[in-house]
Amino acid sequence: MVPHLTTALTGPLLELEKRIMDAQPTIEYWFRQQWKEQRAPFYTSVDLRNAGFKLAPVDTNLFPGGFNNLNPDFMALCVHAAMGAVEHICVNAQKLLLIPESHTRNTFYLQNVAVLANILRQAGLIVRIGTLMPEITEPTTLELPGGGRLTLEPLVRKGRRVGLDGFDPCAILLNNDLSGGIPDILKDVEQTIMPPLHAGWATRRKSQHFTAYQNLAREFSELVGIDPWLIDPMFGRCGKIDFNVRQGEECLAGKVSDLIEDISDKYREYGITQEPFIIVKADAGTYGMGIMTVKGPDDVKDLNRKARNKMSTIKEGAPVTEVLIQEGVYTFESINGAVAEPVVYMLDHFVVGGFYRVHTGRGTDENLNSPGMHFVPLAFDSACQLPDRRLNPDATPNRFYAYGVIARLAMLAASVELEEIQKEINGQSASS
Amino acid sequence: MVPHLTTALTGPLLELEKRIMDAQPTIEYWFRQQWKEQRAPFYTSVDLRNAGFKLAPVDTNLFPGGFNNLNPDFMALCVHAAMGAVEHICVNAQKLLLIPESHTRNTFYLQNVAVLANILRQAGLIVRIGTLMPEITEPTTLELPGGGRLTLEPLVRKGRRVGLDGFDPCAILLNNDLSGGIPDILKDVEQTIMPPLHAGWATRRKSQHFTAYQNLAREFSELVGIDPWLIDPMFGRCGKIDFNVRQGEECLAGKVSDLIEDISDKYREYGITQEPFIIVKADAGTYGMGIMTVKGPDDVKDLNRKARNKMSTIKEGAPVTEVLIQEGVYTFESINGAVAEPVVYMLDHFVVGGFYRVHTGRGTDENLNSPGMHFVPLAFDSACQLPDRRLNPDATPNRFYAYGVIARLAMLAASVELEEIQKEINGQSASS
């Protein structure tokens, strides 16, 4: 079952899908050349929006938390890709410590941890799970809804090594996005940490990611012969925001106004009659906190207290001072009347599956990944690397191929972004 | 559906499967270390025999011809592995020339070529098919039973490059085992040829392969804590055989006698009551030609004319002068009373599936891959990298995991073997 793409404006996207199909050998060759220079992140998930006239990434997560939502038929694909990732990043690792988010009550998330641990075990690693939660002071086994179990153990630091009681791992895999900053116990550790600590939201900025994506999207679009706008959401950025004391409102209103203007120009160019909209979100942060949909500068002026509160902090109470002002991309995929948004999962540089977030209570211009949201995951029923030229460009395997291509482009952008952050850190430590 | 293992003697194999399951992290770590030094062949298939008390490879094919027999659900696994192989072996290739066997009437084989070409196309290559058949002088499209088509084109040589009319490929993939020798048109070519020409039966010797396998099986068995005999068929070799003039019969009878003795010792050690047997086969060759089952030296003396004829030539009429005398391994897997033999398929160093050759008209001590044979392929219904410790060691996913491990060991042996042949060739050209 695949969501129906409900839009009369399929012209440009059909054209985009057709171009992607036609350029498939060129695209794959180009990616191969990129991976000669660039190291893919250990794992990545990318939220896409398909507006019919535009297909673009809106969020790139380096600590993906929905492996339990993937099609179980793709498990072998995950295991092979994980084997490749281990060969590339930590070939000498035998014992691996997995550090998840500090949730114990979100059973969906815990199932993700269980599936991830299972993938890594089937790839041949000895995996144990360590937690940053201070209240877990001894091995604690949690029951999962599906009948499985998960044992969380307190971390133990010895010199420059992190492990568990009786377990000294060669490598550490983070499934924790470090929104609350880098914990002391993980600082200055000699083991390989994947993704690196600077991939956490303590360091990452969405604007830096989308700048890297913009550059790659231009190069890619030239290769394929399309307008880069068809795959790239425009954006701006404001720093020094303080929603609580209403600081930075002017900057925000001005940028919103400019961006709405730019989107309107593009909509006119392509004969799109929908109303342009913008997503304002924390430049550092995840879990859809600190996010709002706006349609003009008035929407960011005179925010009421509730809205300001909502915007002012993200996960783990971190304050929002920088925001990304991103072109909103409508999602025109729907299933039984509910809005659907594809999420593509990658391990190493391979697409290993994905799912749709299907959400009945939300509009086509709203973020579908938000606090307390209840979505129904609908696993992709086929892999993303099986395009079929005998079918129409918008047939399911070909649509999934296009999703995989755009998601890989965002993942490549993340790898460029991480390299840049690494260089900045090296530069800082050299000059200090 | 998985064949039933019909033997009362499951003790040692259950023990073997249990050891393989228990040592899984050690095994995967060991393989990772091997692939740091060793380049896997582009693709490999391995025929296994499961005797209940012993699980061993009996043939390793570097030009596998049964991709059409794999489970279509594993196509994504094949495409990913092919992408990895291309990255490793010919990262700059965009156009690929596939050279199949010179059959036009074997539609099973042609379907294999079609599936293989499709895998490579989905991996992003531009693929065309060139043939060595002199009678094909212009592009010839063949209809396949499933409704597909395959276009064969005559090869064109220009200087040191091989291609087709209007098609200059960066790389050449052989699906032709060169039993008839290396054709002139492929000699001294500047493009990458995969597998290399010296992987063809013009150069390869089964005895060299099984010597490499023996060394690896010893190392592996020490790692896992088993008797290497449980995974390794014993063998001997005779050169300068001429079946037609009955030359070399003495050598053959002597080696057969010795080997039967050695097998009997092992059977006694493990309390196996079956009668030992031996497979005598051409040291260079494939397609099950030039093969016979013998149970003692008398079976190779006084061969009648028909048997001598059968043994004296292999595919494409190449004469047999060297034979491998290999310990026969019973196959005790059966399905609805028919004998079944697993064949494992690999692309790069990943297992991408496999199938059982199910053969009603053959015995448990006969070769199931023989001329004119009609087997029913039964695709593996699950991947070979999904072991599950919660199940018994002989549960389907775990049996398949063991098959994958032994097949990968044979594939690793082939990569060592190819490296040795390459060194011999380099040595010869240096000294000439």
Side-chain angles (χ1 to χ4, degrees), chain A residues 27-43:
Chain A
I27 291 170
E28 296 300 335
Y29 176 78
W30 183 79
F31 272 123
R32 275 205 294 285
Q33 305 312 308
Q34 307 303 313
W35 299 128
K36 284 204 288 189
E37 311 288 326
Q38 214 61 43
R39 199 53 259 136
F42 189 88
Y43 49 16

Side-chain angles (χ1 to χ4, degrees), chain A residues 80-99:
Chain A
H80 279 195
M83 290 168 83
V86 171
E87 279 174 22
H88 286 133
I89 307 178
C90 52
V91 66
N92 292 320
Q94 204 167 2
K95 294 180 187 170
L96 183 124
L97 176 64
L98 175 60
I99 302 182

Side-chain angles (χ1 to χ4, degrees), chain A residues 32 80 87 93 122 349 351 387, chain B residues 32 80 87 93 122 349 351 387:
Chain A
R32 275 205 294 285
H80 279 195
E87 279 174 22
Q122 288 182 316
H349 60 286
V351 179
Chain B
R32 274 206 294 286
H80 279 195
E87 280 173 21
Q122 289 182 317
H349 60 285
V351 178

Side-chain angles (χ1 to χ4, degrees), chain A residues 243-290:
Chain A
F243 283 101
N244 284 322
V245 301
R246 305 179 61 170
Q247 180 185 306
E249 234 179 55
E250 286 307 304
C251 168
L252 198 52
K255 294 268 170 101
V256 163
S257 179
D258 292 349
L259 189 53
I260 288 284
E261 200 55 49
D262 293 342
I263 304 170
S264 300
D265 287 348
K266 277 293 181 187
Y267 276 22
R268 264 191 299 275
E269 183 184 336
Y270 285 99
I272 294 157
T273 54
Q274 267 80 17
E275 191 183 1
F277 72 101
I278 281 173
I279 300 284
V280 177
K281 52 188 168 185
D283 203 9
T286 181
Y287 275 88
M289 295 172 88

Side-chain angles (χ1 to χ4, degrees), chain A residues 121-306:
Chain A
R121 285 184 186 123
Q122 288 182 316
L125 296 165
I126 299 168
V127 180
R128 281 166 67 177
I129 301 162
T131 180
L132 290 163
M133 280 180 281
E135 60 272 31
I136 304 245
T137 53
E138 54 182 32
T140 304
T141 298
L142 306 168
E143 304 285 335
L144 302 180
R149 288 155 163 240
L150 203 62
T151 300
L152 303 180
E153 299 181 64
L155 295 180
V156 176
R157 172 93 184 214
K158 278 187 190 157
R160 293 187 56 217
R161 299 186 73 83
V162 171
L164 306 174
D165 187 28
F167 186 71
D168 181 27
C170 331
I172 298 162
L173 180 64
L174 290 178
N175 196 250
N176 182 310
D177 67 14
L178 308 179
S179 286
I182 299 172
D184 286 339
I185 198 167
L186 294 181
K187 283 178 185 161
D188 194 30
V189 162
E190 67 182 22
Q191 292 128 309
T192 303
I193 300 184
M194 309 168 295
L197 292 174
H198 61 262
W201 284 120
T203 329
R204 260 189 101 194
R205 292 294 174 270
K206 289 184 167 71
S207 51
Q208 189 169 9
H209 174 70
F210 282 102
T211 303
Y213 181 78
Q214 192 168 62
N215 294 332
L216 287 168
R218 278 180 195 154
E219 190 181 332
F220 178 89
S221 298
E222 196 156 322
L223 198 73
V224 177
I226 53 164
D227 176 354
W229 179 73
L230 294 176
I231 59 169
D232 185 24
M234 295 187 276
F235 68 93
R237 178 182 174 279
C238 282
K240 301 194 179 159
I241 297 270
D242 187 334
F243 283 101
N244 284 322
V245 301
R246 305 179 61 170
Q247 180 185 306
E249 234 179 55
E250 286 307 304
C251 168
L252 198 52
K255 294 268 170 101
V256 163
S257 179
D258 292 349
L259 189 53
I260 288 284
E261 200 55 49
D262 293 342
I263 304 170
S264 300
D265 287 348
K266 277 293 181 187
Y267 276 22
R268 264 191 299 275
E269 183 184 336
Y270 285 99
I272 294 157
T273 54
Q274 267 80 17
E275 191 183 1
F277 72 101
I278 281 173
I279 300 284
V280 177
K281 52 188 168 185
D283 203 9
T286 181
Y287 275 88
M289 295 172 88
I291 287 203
M292 61 182 172
T293 299
V294 301
K295 301 208 167 173
D298 291 348
D299 290 350
V300 294
K301 288 180 192 157
D302 307 318
L303 287 176
N304 62 28
R305 170 140 298 278
K306 194 175 159 212

